[in-house]
Amino acid sequence: MINWKVILNIAKTHLLTKIKQTAIAALGVTFGIGSYITLVCFMTGLNTMLDDLILNQTPHIHVYNEIEPSEKQPLDYYSNLENTFSVIHSIKPKLSQKKIHNALPIINYLNQNKNVRGAIPQIKATIFYIAGSIELGGNLTGIQPIEEAALFNLQDYVIEGSPTDLRNNENGILLGIGIAKKMSLEVGDRVQISTIKGDLFPLKIVGLYQSGISEIDNIQSFVNLKTTQKILGEAENYITDINIKLYNIEEALPLSKKIEKQFNLTAIDIKTANAQFETGTTIRNLITYAVSITLLIVAGFGIYNILNMLIYEKMNDIAILKATGFSGKDVQYIFMSQAMIIGFVGGILGLLIGYGLTSLISTIPFKTEALPTVETYPINMNPIFFLIGFLFAMISTFLAGYLPSIKAKKIDPVKIIRGQ
């Protein structure tokens, strides 16, 4: 029967008598785990920030009525011309509307789906912004401000004013920050917008919008849904887009296919719409984890080298232990215990150092005009990273101690004593 109390006492004595080497081995684990925690928390935090920059504003499913050429042209309907060669010039597309037919009943139907967190309408229109002699082309989006803020975090991108201000002002507009700078406008000023038909409408700026993407901020603005209908001269049931937020993003693709088939509309899921962005995110995560794992492996090799040297220096002690009745298995357990103690102490210190460094980084100011909602460097304090770091510390020290302990187990005490 193994006497663990004796084995652990001997292991502790060995570690304390070589305190310098013990400290170096523990520090190898500490800095390996600390570096892993710091790197993975910072990089995944950065990746999450970049993902949120795009995905927070993107619906899980975007439903609209896409204008497409007719599958069958008029010539196709004349069967007597099937075997003839015909040339037609200046083909005109079929007259179609951007409006979604029966949009409000469709929205009500979607909101009853248990997988749907919310489905809200939008109206998108191409307009011109006019201030004095300056005229800029852009996009105007009619929204329900409070619902848009609840589902798609609109308030995070309003740097002056609020979605509530927009809702309370029928002639208000949330103007893109890029447009405001180009036209020297600020909150409280008025800007005229012109439709493609030439109709002019004065609107009061109640807030400034900044997405962090300059191409969007230079053209995009928001008004109330009813205001857009009024500007375009359309009825209250005029809707061009439906944006859907789900509880589970994985349901986006099958539900989008169902909507297309059921309502004869175009429905694009978030992964299809952002396929290139998803690929970039995957590559960044792979690089992060690859570098993190490399740090841990390097730390493991350092521990192995130190423990291997420790056994060579303890040859006499091993011979004495075996001569006094300790079996090879007991000797192996002694050196395995040393490795596990080093792993445990080094792992705990590594977690503390990693936590301290990431907490420090999270307080460093990080302000940029492109990201108005970000004030400090992003950190992802996921407990899973700390658990993985500690488990790796224990596993790596176990493996690093196992091979040298096998060597210690097989040492012949007679040969060692004769050699003295």
Side-chain angles (χ1 to χ4, degrees), residues 315-316 415-420:
M315 286 290 190
N316 291 339
K415 291 182 179 179
I416 300 297
I417 293 172
R418 279 179 179 172
Q420 292 299 315

Side-chain angles (χ1 to χ4, degrees), residues 76-129:
D76 297 329
Y77 290 96
Y78 292 92
S79 58
N80 58 336
L81 297 177
E82 285 182 356
N83 297 320
T84 62
F85 179 77
S86 304
V87 178
I88 301 175
H89 297 281
S90 301
I91 297 176
K92 302 295 188 294
K94 180 182 177 182
L95 182 63
S96 58
Q97 292 182 326
K98 293 176 66 177
K99 169 187 174 181
I100 296 176
H101 186 62
N102 288 330
L104 297 179
I106 292 173
I107 291 172
N108 291 333
Y109 170 80
L110 291 171
N111 279 321
Q112 293 173 6
N113 189 312
K114 64 180 181 179
N115 295 319
V116 175
R117 183 179 169 188
I120 55 176
Q122 277 192 355
I123 301 173
K124 293 185 178 178
T126 302
I127 59 162
F128 294 96
Y129 302 99

Side-chain angles (χ1 to χ4, degrees), residues 329-346:
K329 202 75 173 175
D330 293 332
V331 172
Q332 182 182 11
Y333 285 144
I334 289 170
F335 283 92
M336 288 295 297
S337 297
Q338 292 181 41
M340 298 304 290
I341 291 171
I342 291 172
F344 181 82
V345 174

Side-chain angles (χ1 to χ4, degrees), residues 216-240:
I216 295 176
D217 296 334
N218 288 336
I219 60 173
Q220 184 65 59
S221 61
F222 298 92
V223 297
N224 282 295
L225 198 70
K226 290 184 178 180
T227 305
T228 316
Q229 292 165 343
K230 179 182 175 182
I231 290 171
L232 297 176
E234 299 289 351
E236 291 187 356
N237 63 350
Y238 180 81
I239 303 294
T240 62

